[in-house]
Amino acid sequence: MDYAAHLDTAIGRLHDEGRYRTFIDIERRKGHFPHATWLRPDGTSRPVTVWCGNDYLGMGQHPDVLSAMHDALDATGAGSGGTRNISGTTVYHKELEAELADLHAKDAALLFTSAYIANDATLSTLPKLFPGLVILSDELNHASMIEGIRRNGGAKRIFRHNDLDHLRGLLEELPKETPKLIAFESIYSMDGDFAPIEAICDLADEFGALTYIDEVHAVGMYGPRGAGVAERDSLMQRIDIINGTLAKAYGVMGGYIATSSKMADAIRSYAPGFIFTTSLPPAVAAGATASVRHLKTDQGQDLRDLHQQQASILKLRLKGLGLPLIDHGSHIIPLIVGDPVHTKMLSDMLLTEHGIYVQPINFPTVPRGTERLRFTPSPVHGALEIEALVKALDALWSHCALNRAELAG
């Protein structure tokens, strides 16, 4: 077999469809977020403003976080030295897990190297703990949830996105004694819409199902202490397993689940994705702990309020231009372009002509025909950054529309 030819064909297909992913090399500048330096392929560089980052609150540059990381690095060195059960559990890991359990008002929390791994490892392990388990999964759940559910060897049912009637119908089809789990997200990252959490919990109670919520795009940013949408809506006590990340609002790295002590112990004991993975570096755990603590405070609420304010301002300005954005009331702002080639064109022109970096999002991340640019404003995106973005989009949108018309003609 000509392996190289097959690789060329696979990559060429992405280029032909306009879906080839280009990685933009940037150097973030501490103290200057959201500004960064774009390291161009020709060896030159230019300043850019990042509009697609997941460091939603700018905590990746917060003095408390950096100080905690420096102190832990000086005290312990670089890595953890092992998996959690073989020398890789330190005081920093235990402290962070206690902080996360407190955040979500749960008995325990379990750290993973990423929220992707936390979802995958947990959802693929649950059928081992509950033989015959059927997982009912929202059709728009994240790839990590889909992968964990696919690999678990158990049964699954997919319900239409946020469709409570469809979910009820699927639950009614299952025998009463069948163990069940409903898996969903609090905020869906591509459209920025919210799940009907209370109604899902009501169905779970009615049919005797466990609940699993992914709060990755909500922890730190919603609720009086930043525990997410379930905290904001006073529903945390009704959720059995909460998944969260330390790599977005908390500005560091890692993922976790918060749950009962028994559930955490069982996942810890049975999940290969936890057992056989080197634990987070102590310095990362220390930084995450400092970030979680800070965002539990009144200062954290000030950041959350400013975050929502900046998102509202940007949405209002873009709507004023008549642009086709999606607004479900969250901080995520998708601007629908609807064509992979033009999405990439618009992204490239924003970068090269205006120093604005926003990554194109294409199939399979989103359905064909809904290709988009997704903007993630933050408290560190001020009036000047918003004005520059609005002016650039106003200038470029009509240009891309004309190009599309020419291609269609």
Side-chain angles (χ1 to χ4, degrees), residues 148-194:
I149 294 167
R150 185 188 66 79
R151 290 197 310 105
N152 66 24
K156 65 177 183 292
R157 303 288 188 276
I158 310 301
F159 62 92
R160 290 186 293 271
H161 179 53
N162 282 348
D163 189 330
L164 296 170
D165 290 335
H166 191 210
L167 176 57
R168 170 178 285 279
L170 293 174
L171 287 164
E172 287 174 341
E173 293 174 357
L174 298 172
K176 183 177 180 180
E177 64 276 11
T178 298
K180 313 166 189 70
L181 178 140
I182 305 172
F184 59 104
E185 301 184 38
S186 62
I187 300 178
Y188 290 85
S189 62
M190 289 300 108
D191 283 353
D193 56 330
F194 294 88

Side-chain angles (χ1 to χ4, degrees), residues 67-316:
S67 177
M69 295 185 75
H70 279 297
D71 290 346
L73 183 65
D74 290 341
T76 69
S80 69
T83 61
R84 285 294 297 273
N85 65 314
I86 305 178
S87 82
T89 294
T90 71
V91 63
Y92 299 98
H93 298 87
K94 299 302 292 183
E95 190 175 24
L96 177 53
E97 287 177 335
E99 201 70 46
L100 292 167
D102 171 76
L103 174 68
H104 292 289
K106 297 297 184 186
D107 297 332
L110 198 61
L111 273 177
F112 294 82
T113 50
S114 72
Y116 187 107
I117 298 299
N119 272 334
D120 187 1
T122 302
L123 289 167
S124 63
T125 298
L126 288 171
K128 301 174 187 176
L129 307 175
F130 305 105
L133 177 71
V134 176
I135 298 181
L136 298 103
S137 174
D138 188 290
E139 67 176 339
L140 294 189
N141 278 341
H142 189 264
S144 58
M145 301 175 75
I146 294 170
E147 183 64 16
I149 294 167
R150 185 188 66 79
R151 290 197 310 105
N152 66 24
K156 65 177 183 292
R157 303 288 188 276
I158 310 301
F159 62 92
R160 290 186 293 271
H161 179 53
N162 282 348
D163 189 330
L164 296 170
D165 290 335
H166 191 210
L167 176 57
R168 170 178 285 279
L170 293 174
L171 287 164
E172 287 174 341
E173 293 174 357
L174 298 172
K176 183 177 180 180
E177 64 276 11
T178 298
K180 313 166 189 70
L181 178 140
I182 305 172
F184 59 104
E185 301 184 38
S186 62
I187 300 178
Y188 290 85
S189 62
M190 289 300 108
D191 283 353
D193 56 330
F194 294 88
I197 301 174
E198 184 173 15
I200 289 175
C201 289
D202 289 342
L203 286 173
D205 290 345
E206 181 180 349
F207 289 93
L210 296 170
T211 48
Y212 185 107
I213 192 170
D214 180 311
E215 290 258 35
V216 160
H217 289 275
V219 289
M221 296 174 289
Y222 294 83
R225 298 202 306 160
V229 179
E231 182 194 30
R232 183 197 69 180
D233 297 345
S234 300
L235 295 169
M236 282 197 301
Q237 76 282 1
R238 302 186 65 185
I239 304 293
D240 293 294
I241 305 174
I242 298 172
N243 169 277
T245 185
L246 303 166
K248 291 183 170 61
Y250 294 116
V252 193
M253 178 186 174
Y256 64 89
I257 59 168
T259 184
S260 67
S261 295
K262 285 186 179 180
M263 184 71 79
D265 190 24
I267 299 298
R268 179 185 71 88
S269 301
Y270 280 88
F274 179 85
I275 296 170
F276 299 106
T277 300
T278 299
S279 63
L280 289 171
V284 171
T289 300
S291 186
V292 172
R293 284 177 179 163
H294 180 82
L295 290 180
K296 288 180 178 178
T297 67
D298 290 343
Q299 289 178 302
Q301 188 57 49
D302 291 342
L303 272 180
R304 283 187 284 278
D305 291 342
L306 183 55
H307 182 218
Q308 291 296 325
Q309 175 184 304
Q310 299 305 82
S312 295
I313 290 171
L314 180 58
K315 283 187 279 191
L316 185 64

